Amino acid sequence: SGDVIINSGGSDITSLEGISQITTIEGSLKIQSNSALLKLAGLDNLTCVKGFLHIESNSALSDISALSNLRTVHGALVISDNDALMSLSGLENIAAIDGYLEVSESVNLTSLSGLEAIDYTTITNLVVRSNNNLSTCELKNICEYLDNGGTATIIGNTTGCSDQTEVESACLSVLPVELSHFSGKEVAGDAHIFWQTASETNNDYFQLEHGTDGRNFQPIAVIQGNGTVSGTQDYQFVHTRAHQGQNYYRLMQVDFDGGYEYSKIISVEIEHNEIFIQPNPTNGMVEIKGVNSDHASLKVFDALGRLIQTSDLAISNTVNLSNQPKGIYFFIIQANNQSVIKKIIRK
């Protein structure tokens, strides 16, 4: 199976130097019940465990820093019942675990620091229990996991991490934005996007991104945040160049220090893209709606058929007739290899 089990059942094993050439373990790695093992020197070259990683019941183990080259665990990561362990330093480069994460019954552990790099979306279940002195659990990825509804058992730790409610409360100072609402709808051929925050910490700005396949996105707007503020904040944006059919949107929230995170993806269906001009009749300024092309042009003719104005609708979708006399005008819009003619009344 490729599993590696290091289990003395007593006090015999004091060093792992004999396996120092291992870089990948094809199965699981279990280091268990080694009462004389003080550190994991010998695993310094390990980069990948293709099964689970369990470090359990090693009563003298105080140093796991030799695991600092480990990047991926393709299964559960369990740190349990290691009485002398005071730090998780050595796990800080694990980017994904593809399973459940458990830290339990390690009485001298005070913080989960060392687990920050794990992508929270790769955690299937979180267990943090019976660590008598563990008070710091509000790592950003742990907070994101909880904020996105991840399954968790948090119990029996000290103040600050005694239960899930306490951790979520501490997370309010870690997560830059608590996004309580993000939605969109079609209005007259445009996509109206709405979002709301319940609180913000060091929130520099939002970048709204758009795509048509739910995978590839391009930025379409930057909306300033409110820095640090408590209480509800409402935002909205009108995407006037939404495509016919499904349109996908996501928010990238950016901190003042450059840190960022993405929202969930929402979709807005544009059922029709009829080109229309408003207001009509007009006193001068009009807006052309429903032109969803990066290559669209406009020609404006008066009632005698004279060309009086041209413009690139990819640059601006507004037209000013204020300097033209009252009367009837014709707008010829060229987009998507089609021409549309609209009659406008200048009153």
Side-chain angles (χ1 to χ4, degrees), residues 148-202:
N148 283 274
T151 302
T153 301
I154 302 175
I155 191 171
N157 312 297
T158 196
T159 303
C161 190
S162 61
D163 58 31
Q164 184 169 334
T165 299
E166 202 166 67
V167 175
E168 289 176 342
S169 178
C171 283
L172 294 177
S173 64
V174 175
L175 291 177
V177 168
E178 184 182 356
L179 193 66
S180 56
H181 178 74
F182 181 39
S183 66
K185 66 178 181 179
E186 179 196 4
V187 178
D190 296 332
H192 287 235
I193 310 300
F194 309 90
W195 65 98
Q196 183 183 86
T197 63
S199 64
E200 300 180 19
T201 302
N202 297 321

Side-chain angles (χ1 to χ4, degrees), residues 74-330:
H74 292 286
L77 171 59
V78 176
I79 310 295
S80 179
D81 193 22
N82 301 289
D83 290 346
L85 190 63
M86 300 180 66
S87 168
L88 297 180
S89 177
L91 304 180
E92 60 271 8
N93 289 313
I94 299 178
I97 64 172
D98 298 329
Y100 69 88
L101 173 62
E102 178 178 340
V103 180
S104 62
E105 299 181 17
S106 295
V107 296
N108 283 304
L109 196 64
T110 61
S111 171
L112 293 184
S113 294
L115 302 176
E116 292 92 338
I118 298 174
D119 182 348
Y120 79 91
T121 64
T122 69
I123 301 171
T124 60
N125 192 10
L126 174 66
V127 177
V128 183
R129 60 176 175 81
S130 303
N131 304 284
N132 295 359
N133 292 294
L134 181 62
S135 61
T136 303
C137 293
E138 65 275 18
L139 307 186
K140 185 176 180 181
N141 56 343
I142 298 299
C143 293
E144 289 174 331
Y145 176 81
L146 297 174
D147 192 49
N148 283 274
T151 302
T153 301
I154 302 175
I155 191 171
N157 312 297
T158 196
T159 303
C161 190
S162 61
D163 58 31
Q164 184 169 334
T165 299
E166 202 166 67
V167 175
E168 289 176 342
S169 178
C171 283
L172 294 177
S173 64
V174 175
L175 291 177
V177 168
E178 184 182 356
L179 193 66
S180 56
H181 178 74
F182 181 39
S183 66
K185 66 178 181 179
E186 179 196 4
V187 178
D190 296 332
H192 287 235
I193 310 300
F194 309 90
W195 65 98
Q196 183 183 86
T197 63
S199 64
E200 300 180 19
T201 302
N202 297 321
N203 180 24
D204 190 2
Y205 63 90
F206 295 97
Q207 178 173 282
L208 181 63
E209 300 181 353
H210 169 259
T212 56
D213 60 6
R215 296 183 301 275
N216 300 295
F217 290 85
Q218 295 295 326
I220 58 172
V222 171
I223 297 92
Q224 291 301 309
N226 282 288
T228 299
V229 64
S230 60
T232 299
Q233 306 293 317
D234 291 296
Y235 300 86
Q236 63 176 314
F237 180 79
V238 179
H239 187 201
T240 59
R241 295 186 178 276
H243 293 264
Q244 187 166 357
Q246 289 292 344
N247 292 261
Y248 297 90
Y249 299 90
R250 69 181 182 185
L251 287 170
M252 181 173 74
Q253 183 277 318
V254 183
D255 301 345
F256 286 116
D257 64 4
Y260 64 90
E261 64 178 345
Y262 284 103
S263 72
K264 68 178 182 178
I265 297 171
I266 63 169
S267 65
V268 177
E269 184 176 5
I270 305 298
E271 295 183 352
H272 58 83
N273 274 340
E274 179 183 355
I275 295 175
F276 62 96
I277 299 173
Q278 63 181 28
N280 187 17
T282 177
N283 289 318
M285 292 296 297
V286 296
E287 182 178 12
I288 301 172
K289 309 278 284 184
V291 178
N292 300 301
S293 173
D294 293 331
H295 304 285
S297 62
L298 168 69
K299 293 181 180 180
V300 180
F301 296 86
D302 64 15
L304 298 177
R306 294 175 297 192
L307 177 65
I308 62 170
Q309 189 174 340
T310 63
S311 63
D312 184 348
L313 295 178
I315 297 174
S316 175
N317 66 335
T318 59
V319 179
N320 189 354
L321 296 177
S322 299
N323 60 349
Q324 300 297 329
K326 297 178 181 179
I328 295 175
Y329 294 86
F330 295 93

Side-chain angles (χ1 to χ4, degrees), residues 5 14 16 48 53 57 87 146 171 231 318:
I5 300 175
T14 60
L16 304 181
C48 177
L53 171 60
S57 304
S87 168
L146 297 174
C171 283
T318 59

Side-chain angles (χ1 to χ4, degrees), residues 31-35 55-60 80-83:
I31 304 170
Q32 181 181 40
S33 302
N34 301 286
S35 61
I55 304 174
E56 301 179 68
S57 304
N58 304 285
S59 58
S80 179
D81 193 22
N82 301 289
D83 290 346

